[in-house]
Amino acid sequence: MLTFLRPYPSPMFSRRGLDMDFPMLAGCLALLGLGLVMISSASTEVAAVNAGNPLYYMIRHLIYLLIGLGAAGVVLMIPLATWQRCGWMLLLAAFALLVAVLVPGIGREVNGSMRWIGFGMFNVQPSEIAKVFVVIYLAGYLVRRQEEVRESWAGFFKPFVVLLPMAGLLLMEPDFGATVVMMGAAAAMLFLGGVGLFRFCLMVALAVGAVTLLIYTQPYRMERLTNFSDPWADQFGAGYQLSQALIAFGRGEWLGVGLGNSIQKQFYLPEAHTDFVFAVLAEELGMVGALATVALFVFVCVRALYIGLWAEKAKQFFAAYVAFGLAFLWIGQFLINIGVNVGLLPTKGLTLPFLSYGGSSLVICCVSLALLLRIEWEARTQLGSEDVVFDESDFLEPAAGQEVPHGR
């Protein structure tokens, strides 16, 4: 397939070879590598008991990683204009997946939640796919209705005709964390799209009111809210998971107990290789390793925002909004997962991007990275800019001794 797509301009097959944003690529590859190491360490005890093979989850994670990198390679060769044209189809696909996961016999229930669709040995989490598709659709809407969004209430409220039903489907799973992340990224995109400060503040106030109402109407959410503030009050009951995560942080001290030497992963800390992998990382690598990981996350998230800024300066507004949306998806999941691990937020089932075990999350992170690399490349080469026109000769291989032109 890559051979078939090679004649088309892309950052993978250019006159300079691999023409990508290497700082961004290196940062994300470092997180992927660290994630593979931590999954291998955090899952050995659970895998040995559940599957009879201590490397079971590591092997599955590696398979997901290879699938994700393959999908990223394909996405790198798809022009952003194609994503923009297909925005409404992606939105319909997102709705179809979120409805399908709620259908008995199609969706799989795990720990009381219907969040996965099973395909043999693998599970697909539609909420991970839907978040990216919503970002792509909303970016197209902000380009098409830019003046309307900035100047009228109608342009401001129209996106919520799509967002609110999708949030309702996510809450039916239930997946409160994904709902918060998706709506937060959408709100940030609307603000960056030019929504007035008064309307934005009104949206924030309504969102806070809705979250408060959802917490008070569901007893288990209210229980989580009260338990996280003092997990030691019921450390062997509702506060067990958080108290064990805090013990992991305490045991790690400055430099950690050493890679593979975690005690908490030995059935003390539930979900040690998924939602709480950061706690195991802090125990084994210490405060220094945890802060270095946080710094790496900050770097890739800020770099993603800068990619959006560069695309905006190149007048590629669709690309800019997509970059901003993907960056805020990463930021939202990162802040919530780390907040849960350290006890600043109630327990939520959100994975840590690039690090946690989870096939859908890992593949979507790789796809999001590919989209950002494509955005940066198109902005840098001016491909797709409204002020620049290209023809096929711009992408032909130069003859021997011929100077390579640099943009028009």
Short mmCIF file of all heavy atoms in Angstrom, two decimals, residues 204-234:
data_model
loop_
_atom_site.label_atom_id
_atom_site.label_comp_id
_atom_site.label_asym_id
_atom_site.label_seq_id
_atom_site.Cartn_x
_atom_site.Cartn_y
_atom_site.Cartn_z
N VAL A 204 -18.85 27.96 29.74
CA VAL A 204 -18.14 27.37 30.85
C VAL A 204 -19.06 27.22 32.06
O VAL A 204 -19.07 26.19 32.75
CB VAL A 204 -16.90 28.21 31.21
CG1 VAL A 204 -16.26 27.71 32.51
CG2 VAL A 204 -15.89 28.16 30.07
N ALA A 205 -19.87 28.26 32.32
CA ALA A 205 -20.78 28.21 33.46
C ALA A 205 -21.82 27.10 33.29
O ALA A 205 -22.12 26.36 34.24
CB ALA A 205 -21.48 29.56 33.62
N LEU A 206 -22.34 26.97 32.08
CA LEU A 206 -23.32 25.89 31.81
C LEU A 206 -22.66 24.53 31.95
O LEU A 206 -23.27 23.58 32.46
CB LEU A 206 -23.91 26.06 30.41
CG LEU A 206 -24.83 27.26 30.20
CD1 LEU A 206 -25.21 27.38 28.73
CD2 LEU A 206 -26.09 27.13 31.07
N ALA A 207 -21.41 24.41 31.49
CA ALA A 207 -20.70 23.12 31.59
C ALA A 207 -20.46 22.75 33.05
O ALA A 207 -20.65 21.59 33.44
CB ALA A 207 -19.37 23.21 30.83
N VAL A 208 -20.05 23.72 33.86
CA VAL A 208 -19.82 23.45 35.28
C VAL A 208 -21.13 23.05 35.95
O VAL A 208 -21.17 22.10 36.76
CB VAL A 208 -19.21 24.69 35.97
CG1 VAL A 208 -19.17 24.50 37.48
CG2 VAL A 208 -17.81 24.96 35.44
N GLY A 209 -22.21 23.74 35.59
CA GLY A 209 -23.52 23.37 36.14
C GLY A 209 -23.94 21.97 35.74
O GLY A 209 -24.47 21.21 36.56
N ALA A 210 -23.69 21.61 34.47
CA ALA A 210 -24.06 20.28 34.00
C ALA A 210 -23.25 19.20 34.71
O ALA A 210 -23.79 18.15 35.10
CB ALA A 210 -23.85 20.19 32.49
N VAL A 211 -21.93 19.43 34.88
CA VAL A 211 -21.08 18.46 35.58
C VAL A 211 -21.54 18.29 37.02
O VAL A 211 -21.63 17.16 37.55
CB VAL A 211 -19.62 18.91 35.52
CG1 VAL A 211 -18.76 18.07 36.46
CG2 VAL A 211 -19.09 18.80 34.10
N THR A 212 -21.86 19.41 37.69
CA THR A 212 -22.34 19.34 39.07
C THR A 212 -23.63 18.54 39.16
O THR A 212 -23.81 17.71 40.06
CB THR A 212 -22.56 20.76 39.62
OG1 THR A 212 -21.35 21.51 39.50
CG2 THR A 212 -22.98 20.71 41.08
N LEU A 213 -24.55 18.77 38.21
CA LEU A 213 -25.82 18.04 38.19
C LEU A 213 -25.60 16.55 37.97
O LEU A 213 -26.21 15.71 38.64
CB LEU A 213 -26.72 18.61 37.09
CG LEU A 213 -28.10 17.97 36.94
CD1 LEU A 213 -28.93 18.21 38.21
CD2 LEU A 213 -28.84 18.55 35.72
N LEU A 214 -24.69 16.22 37.05
CA LEU A 214 -24.40 14.80 36.78
C LEU A 214 -23.80 14.11 38.00
O LEU A 214 -24.08 12.94 38.25
CB LEU A 214 -23.45 14.68 35.58
CG LEU A 214 -24.04 15.00 34.21
CD1 LEU A 214 -22.94 15.08 33.16
CD2 LEU A 214 -25.08 13.94 33.81
N ILE A 215 -22.99 14.84 38.74
CA ILE A 215 -22.38 14.25 39.94
C ILE A 215 -23.44 13.98 41.00
O ILE A 215 -23.47 12.90 41.62
CB ILE A 215 -21.28 15.18 40.49
CG1 ILE A 215 -20.08 15.20 39.54
CG2 ILE A 215 -20.84 14.74 41.88
CD1 ILE A 215 -19.01 16.20 39.91
N TYR A 216 -24.35 14.94 41.20
CA TYR A 216 -25.34 14.79 42.25
C TYR A 216 -26.45 13.79 41.90
O TYR A 216 -27.09 13.24 42.78
CB TYR A 216 -25.96 16.15 42.58
CG TYR A 216 -25.13 16.96 43.55
CD1 TYR A 216 -24.25 17.94 43.09
CD2 TYR A 216 -25.20 16.74 44.92
CE1 TYR A 216 -23.47 18.68 43.98
CE2 TYR A 216 -24.43 17.47 45.81
CZ TYR A 216 -23.56 18.44 45.33
OH TYR A 216 -22.80 19.16 46.21
N THR A 217 -26.68 13.57 40.60
CA THR A 217 -27.75 12.65 40.20
C THR A 217 -27.30 11.20 40.16
O THR A 217 -28.13 10.30 40.06
CB THR A 217 -28.31 13.04 38.82
OG1 THR A 217 -27.23 13.11 37.87
CG2 THR A 217 -29.03 14.37 38.88
N GLN A 218 -26.00 10.94 40.22
CA GLN A 218 -25.49 9.57 40.21
C GLN A 218 -24.76 9.30 41.52
O GLN A 218 -23.71 9.89 41.78
CB GLN A 218 -24.54 9.36 39.02
CG GLN A 218 -25.21 9.41 37.67
CD GLN A 218 -26.13 8.22 37.45
OE1 GLN A 218 -25.96 7.17 38.04
NE2 GLN A 218 -27.14 8.40 36.59
N PRO A 219 -25.30 8.43 42.36
CA PRO A 219 -24.68 8.19 43.69
C PRO A 219 -23.23 7.74 43.62
O PRO A 219 -22.42 8.15 44.46
CB PRO A 219 -25.57 7.08 44.27
CG PRO A 219 -26.88 7.20 43.56
CD PRO A 219 -26.53 7.67 42.18
N TYR A 220 -22.87 6.92 42.61
CA TYR A 220 -21.49 6.42 42.57
C TYR A 220 -20.51 7.54 42.26
O TYR A 220 -19.36 7.52 42.71
CB TYR A 220 -21.36 5.27 41.56
CG TYR A 220 -21.23 5.68 40.11
CD1 TYR A 220 -19.99 5.85 39.52
CD2 TYR A 220 -22.36 5.89 39.32
CE1 TYR A 220 -19.86 6.21 38.20
CE2 TYR A 220 -22.25 6.25 37.99
CZ TYR A 220 -21.00 6.41 37.44
OH TYR A 220 -20.89 6.78 36.13
N ARG A 221 -20.96 8.54 41.47
CA ARG A 221 -20.07 9.67 41.19
C ARG A 221 -19.88 10.52 42.45
O ARG A 221 -18.78 11.00 42.72
CB ARG A 221 -20.65 10.53 40.06
CG ARG A 221 -20.65 9.84 38.70
CD ARG A 221 -20.94 10.83 37.58
NE ARG A 221 -21.02 10.13 36.30
CZ ARG A 221 -22.12 10.06 35.55
NH1 ARG A 221 -23.22 10.66 35.94
NH2 ARG A 221 -22.11 9.39 34.41
N MET A 222 -20.96 10.71 43.19
CA MET A 222 -20.86 11.47 44.43
C MET A 222 -19.98 10.76 45.43
O MET A 222 -19.18 11.38 46.15
CB MET A 222 -22.26 11.67 45.02
CG MET A 222 -22.29 12.68 46.16
SD MET A 222 -21.81 14.33 45.59
CE MET A 222 -21.55 15.17 47.15
N GLU A 223 -20.05 9.42 45.45
CA GLU A 223 -19.22 8.64 46.35
C GLU A 223 -17.75 8.78 46.00
O GLU A 223 -16.89 8.93 46.87
CB GLU A 223 -19.64 7.17 46.29
CG GLU A 223 -18.89 6.27 47.26
CD GLU A 223 -19.34 4.82 47.15
OE1 GLU A 223 -20.27 4.55 46.37
OE2 GLU A 223 -18.72 3.97 47.82
N ARG A 224 -17.45 8.76 44.69
CA ARG A 224 -16.06 8.96 44.26
C ARG A 224 -15.55 10.33 44.65
O ARG A 224 -14.40 10.50 45.05
CB ARG A 224 -15.95 8.78 42.75
CG ARG A 224 -16.01 7.33 42.28
CD ARG A 224 -15.84 7.26 40.78
NE ARG A 224 -15.79 5.88 40.30
CZ ARG A 224 -15.64 5.54 39.03
NH1 ARG A 224 -15.51 6.48 38.10
NH2 ARG A 224 -15.62 4.26 38.68
N LEU A 225 -16.42 11.35 44.52
CA LEU A 225 -16.03 12.72 44.83
C LEU A 225 -15.68 12.88 46.30
O LEU A 225 -14.72 13.57 46.67
CB LEU A 225 -17.14 13.69 44.43
CG LEU A 225 -16.84 15.18 44.58
CD1 LEU A 225 -15.73 15.58 43.63
CD2 LEU A 225 -18.08 16.01 44.32
N THR A 226 -16.45 12.22 47.16
CA THR A 226 -16.20 12.36 48.59
C THR A 226 -15.04 11.48 49.05
O THR A 226 -14.28 11.86 49.96
CB THR A 226 -17.46 11.99 49.39
OG1 THR A 226 -17.90 10.68 49.00
CG2 THR A 226 -18.58 13.00 49.11
N ASN A 227 -14.86 10.32 48.42
CA ASN A 227 -13.81 9.40 48.85
C ASN A 227 -12.40 9.87 48.49
O ASN A 227 -11.45 9.63 49.23
CB ASN A 227 -14.03 8.00 48.25
CG ASN A 227 -15.19 7.28 48.91
OD1 ASN A 227 -15.48 7.52 50.08
ND2 ASN A 227 -15.85 6.42 48.17
N PHE A 228 -12.26 10.55 47.34
CA PHE A 228 -10.90 10.92 46.93
C PHE A 228 -10.32 12.00 47.83
O PHE A 228 -9.10 12.13 47.94
CB PHE A 228 -10.91 11.39 45.46
CG PHE A 228 -10.97 12.87 45.26
CD1 PHE A 228 -9.82 13.61 45.05
CD2 PHE A 228 -12.18 13.55 45.29
CE1 PHE A 228 -9.86 14.97 44.86
CE2 PHE A 228 -12.24 14.91 45.09
CZ PHE A 228 -11.08 15.63 44.87
N SER A 229 -11.19 12.79 48.49
CA SER A 229 -10.68 13.85 49.36
C SER A 229 -10.01 13.28 50.62
O SER A 229 -9.13 13.91 51.19
CB SER A 229 -11.81 14.80 49.75
OG SER A 229 -12.84 14.09 50.43
N ASP A 230 -10.43 12.09 51.05
CA ASP A 230 -9.81 11.46 52.21
C ASP A 230 -9.86 9.94 52.04
O ASP A 230 -10.70 9.26 52.65
CB ASP A 230 -10.52 11.87 53.51
CG ASP A 230 -9.80 11.33 54.75
OD1 ASP A 230 -8.64 10.88 54.61
OD2 ASP A 230 -10.41 11.37 55.84
N PRO A 231 -8.99 9.38 51.18
CA PRO A 231 -9.04 7.94 50.93
C PRO A 231 -8.72 7.10 52.17
O PRO A 231 -9.14 5.95 52.27
CB PRO A 231 -7.98 7.73 49.84
CG PRO A 231 -7.04 8.88 50.00
CD PRO A 231 -7.88 10.03 50.45
N TRP A 232 -8.00 7.69 53.13
CA TRP A 232 -7.61 6.93 54.33
C TRP A 232 -8.79 6.70 55.26
O TRP A 232 -8.71 5.83 56.14
CB TRP A 232 -6.49 7.66 55.06
CG TRP A 232 -5.34 7.99 54.16
CD1 TRP A 232 -5.01 9.22 53.70
CD2 TRP A 232 -4.40 7.07 53.59
NE1 TRP A 232 -3.91 9.13 52.88
CE2 TRP A 232 -3.52 7.82 52.78
CE3 TRP A 232 -4.23 5.69 53.67
CZ2 TRP A 232 -2.48 7.25 52.08
CZ3 TRP A 232 -3.19 5.11 52.96
CH2 TRP A 232 -2.34 5.88 52.18
N ALA A 233 -9.88 7.42 55.07
CA ALA A 233 -11.06 7.20 55.90
C ALA A 233 -11.68 5.83 55.63
O ALA A 233 -12.35 5.27 56.50
CB ALA A 233 -12.10 8.30 55.65
N ASP A 234 -11.45 5.30 54.43
CA ASP A 234 -11.95 3.96 54.08
C ASP A 234 -10.92 3.31 53.16
O ASP A 234 -11.21 2.97 52.03
CB ASP A 234 -13.32 4.08 53.39
CG ASP A 234 -13.99 2.72 53.20
OD1 ASP A 234 -13.51 1.74 53.82
OD2 ASP A 234 -14.96 2.63 52.43
#
